[in-house]
Each structure stands twice: as structure tokens, then as C-alpha cells.
Amino acid sequence: MKAFAYLTPVNEKEAIGALGPDRDKVMVLGGGQDLLARMKDYVAQPDRVVNIKNALDATIVATPDGGLKIGAAVKIADLAEHAQVAKLYPALARAAGEVGTPQIRNQGTVGGNINQRPRCWYFRNEEFFCLKKGGNRCFAPNGENQFHAIFGNGPTHIVHPSSLAVPAVAYGAKFRLAGPKGERIVEARDYFTMPTMANVQTENVLAADELFTHVILPPPGNVKTGHYEVRYKASHDWPIAFATVVLAMDGDTIKSARVVMGAVAPVPWRAQAAEQALAGKRIDDRTAAAAAEAALQGARPMSRNGYKVQVAKTAVKRAILQAGGIKTA
Ligand SMILES: Cc1cc2nc3c(=O)[nH]c(=O)nc-3n(C[C@H](O)[C@H](O)[C@H](O)COP(=O)(O)OP(=O)(O)OC[C@H]3O[C@@H](n4cnc5c(N)ncnc54)[C@H](O)[C@@H]3O)c2cc1C
């Protein structure tokens, strides 16, 4: 590993002061599980590492409007076990509880999880000089693309790796970012960016000199929610595809829906056709199956990931049935 300077600021202002304009030179450390792995693999070689664990908020507090404000330094395990999170945002608690393993959840932070870099094996291998590292091609379309995106037209075909990002978008969360010019609040759905040649080396709108400080959840209202992940194995693995659904109810009828899929696109992927298919319906097997079909309309799998279309359909269908309290396999 290349030698680097290590800073341990004790508050937000000090942490921001330690950042700089060059994201390749100064990097933020939360739990370190993603960053240190990239450093050990020579994929990231910062001159300075800024540990934010003692600088950023590690609490979960109620907001005056009845929502919750979650600090970036909160551990994933604490999010998963928090009583108010489980009561108000069960899909988020469930997603947090399914991340990796107990050790990963104990070490990983909310900020680190949402800002972790893609798991693409070409990106993570120093031998491949891919678009994300300043090269001139994405190796996925003609390569081993079994876990890559089935939505989006490139130029890179990564899937967004964060399990927490998907329920955050589904619940209509906002993110607080702080930098030298002050704070800004960004809708979770606008935070993650589809790749273009202009922004291909990043996955979100966070500037190099900004910190991700909070997830702010609005009061949930009268909703039913579901979250369903499909993995090869039950633990120590990322999902192949998953979905969060948030259904605003009017009695037994779905008034409006948010359906967001994970591990299928470079961003948490909102399935608006599925949302329309659900509006005005009751939750039952037929409605869930029709919405799942609609959710995968427009999927464009590559040579080896066609199987993900069916897996994602299953995740959407089961998330809807779970929201309705209907038992699935
Ligand atoms: C076997 C295995 C299975 C896994 N399964 C899952 C899974 O199912 N779902 C899932 O979501 N993840 C999964 N992970 C990934 C793991 O959850 C993440 O690596 C972890 O959550 C990252 O959190 P961290 O705090 O350790 O991040 P760090 O490594 O500290 O940071 C990650 C990135 O975010 C940046 N960063 C961190 N905090 C901030 C901040 N406050 N502001 C700005 N930038 C910041 C860092 O610079 C870095 O680039 C798995 C990992 C392993 C090894």
C-alpha cells in the first residue's frame, strides 16, 4: 500500500478543512471496508486519508415533522437494530439487516455504505484500465458481465452497490452534504448519477471537497412497505437483484406507489411503469405479478446477465406481496 497521511478530525468543520479539490489525492474513511480494500488493491492511492468517525454525527434522532435524521457515522448494525427505524421505515431496517455479515454491519457506516464505489471486478482490478479509472472502455459488454447492469446504456455498466440507497430513494429521503461553501440538501433520487462521458468516474453529485453528513427521512405517512433481496447465498454476499416498494394506501387500495430496484442499474432504479400499474389496485398476487412485469419492461441485459431479469421480477413481486402481508416463498 502506498504511504499516506492520516487525519482524525473531531468535528465537521475540521473534517471539511482536511478535504481538497482533488478526489484522487484526499479520501474519506468511514468504516474503511471499501476504501481500504481499494487501497490494498492499488485501485485507490490517496496521499491523505481523513477518518470521519469522530467528526460526523453518529446518532439517529426524530425530526420535528415526525421523520428521522440519521448521521453518516451511524453504524449499519445500529441502523438495523434501531426501534424507531424498524417501526417507521421497516424496509430500511430490513435492508440494513441484510448487508453482508454481522462484522460488516458492525464496521460499516451509513455514509460509507451509500458512497461505496462499485463492486465491478474490472474496476477493482488494477490490471484493467477501465472508463471509471480514466481508461477508454468499459470491459463489461464483451466480458464477464453476469453481475452487471440490465438497465442503462452505458458508457459504464456498473450496478450501484449500496443496499441502503434503494430504500432511501423509495422513502423519499433527502441527503445533507456539507462543504467549504456551507450545506446543501439533495433529494436521494437526484444524488445518484447515471454515467455519461463527463461524469463517468463518479456515481453521485458529491463534490471532492464535500462530506455526506446525514440521511433525512420524511414522515412515512400511511404506507405499506416491502423489501426483498435475492442472493446466491444468504450471507456474506451482495444481492443479485432487490427491490423496495413503498405503497401509499387509501383503505385497501394503493393510492400511489414507489418501486425502486437495486443491483440492476448504475443508480437505484425507479420503476415508474410498475408504480403506475399499482395505482388504484388492491395488493394481491395478480397485481404484484403485473407490476413486476412492468418493472422489467425496457431491461436490456448483456450476454451473461439475462437471468437477472427474472430475478429482479421476483424481487419486485415479493416486495409487493410482503407489503401486503401476503406470505411468499
Ligand atoms: C462480503 C461482503 C458482502 C457485502 N454485502 C453488501 C450488501 O449486501 N449490501 C451493501 O450495501 N454492501 C455490502 N457490502 C459492502 C459493505 O457494506 C460496504 O463496503 C460498507 O458498507 C462500506 O461502509 P464503510 O463505512 O466501511 O465505508 P468506507 O470504506 O469507509 O467508505 C466507502 C466510500 O465512501 C466514502 N465515504 C465514506 N464516508 C463518507 C462520508 N461521510 N462522506 C463522503 N464520502 C464518504 C469513502 O471515501 C469511500 O470511497 C459487502 C461487503 C463485503 C465484503
Side-chain angles (χ1 to χ4, degrees):
M1 196 191 272
K2 196 188 96 175
F4 57 89
Y6 183 67
L7 277 74
T8 52
V10 292
N11 58 46
E12 186 180 294
K13 195 168 167 221
E14 228 179 87
I16 291 166
L19 303 178
D22 188 341
R23 68 176 79 244
D24 289 333
K25 293 213 166 115
V26 185
M27 294 189 187
V28 173
L29 182 86
Q33 296 177 96
D34 168 35
L35 178 61
L36 295 181
R38 280 186 285 122
M39 287 168 69
K40 287 187 217 162
D41 287 341
Y42 295 97
V43 173
Q45 303 196 47
D47 295 334
R48 193 191 308 159
V49 170
V50 181
N51 181 347
I52 51 76
K53 277 201 297 297
N54 295 323
L56 296 189
D57 189 6
T59 66
I60 301 177
V61 295
T63 55
D65 63 356
L68 286 183
K69 190 171 180 187
I70 301 167
V74 167
K75 292 192 172 167
I76 300 167
D78 294 335
L79 181 69
E81 285 160 19
H82 194 274
Q84 281 301 98
V85 176
K87 185 173 165 211
L88 298 175
Y89 310 99
L92 179 63
R94 192 170 178 134
E98 290 196 35
V99 168
T101 64
Q103 291 88 342
I104 290 166
R105 296 193 288 276
N106 266 318
Q107 180 69 18
T109 60
V110 168
N113 184 275
I114 290 174
N115 289 284
Q116 62 178 301
R117 304 298 314 277
R119 301 307 303 186
C120 171
W121 37 44
Y122 297 114
F123 169 67
R124 297 217 168 224
N125 185 326
E126 62 168 318
E127 310 274 322
F128 288 89
F129 188 46
C130 74
L131 268 177
K132 282 214 156 281
K133 291 181 285 194
N136 63 7
R137 59 187 278 221
C138 174
F139 291 87
N142 296 319
E144 298 287 335
N145 52 43
Q146 349 355 17
F147 300 117
H148 286 82
I150 55 173
F151 286 102
N153 285 325
T156 55
H157 299 266
I158 59 124
V159 295
H160 199 277
S162 169
S163 294
L164 304 184
V166 170
V169 172
Y171 278 118
K174 293 180 166 73
F175 296 156
R176 178 180 179 271
L177 318 178
K181 291 187 209 125
E183 67 167 31
R184 59 186 177 124
I185 307 288
V186 178
E187 296 276 351
R189 64 166 184 263
D190 299 329
Y191 183 70
F192 305 100
T193 47
M194 282 298 282
T196 64
M197 285 311 284
N199 71 6
V200 74
Q201 292 190 45
T202 56
E203 291 81 45
N204 54 54
V205 300
L206 189 74
D209 59 359
E210 282 182 314
L211 284 171
F212 180 102
T213 71
H214 291 91
V215 175
I216 303 162
L217 287 154
N222 179 22
V223 295
K224 289 183 188 280
T225 58
H227 180 87
Y228 198 93
E229 304 190 2
V230 183
R231 286 180 168 72
Y232 273 113
K233 52 192 195 304
S235 181
H236 208 266
D237 205 1
W238 277 265
I240 296 166
F242 63 105
T244 304
V245 302
V246 176
L247 309 176
M249 303 301 294
D250 182 6
D252 285 342
T253 305
I254 301 167
K255 208 161 56 175
S256 63
R258 285 216 195 96
V259 178
V260 186
M261 289 183 282
V264 297
V267 297
W269 190 260
R270 190 134 170 224
Q272 276 159 343
E275 295 174 358
Q276 282 155 19
L278 288 167
K281 306 273 174 23
R282 294 162 82 93
I283 306 172
D284 59 24
D285 199 77
R286 198 142 57 120
T287 301
E293 273 307 317
L296 274 296
Q297 275 169 16
R300 294 173 56 165
M302 292 180 283
S303 55
R304 291 164 186 248
N305 66 2
Y307 77 102
K308 286 184 74 166
V309 174
Q310 185 55 46
V311 174
K313 261 185 214 172
T314 301
V316 171
K317 181 178 171 190
R318 291 187 182 178
I320 295 167
L321 293 176
Q322 192 192 87
I326 301 166
K327 206 166 161 25
T328 60

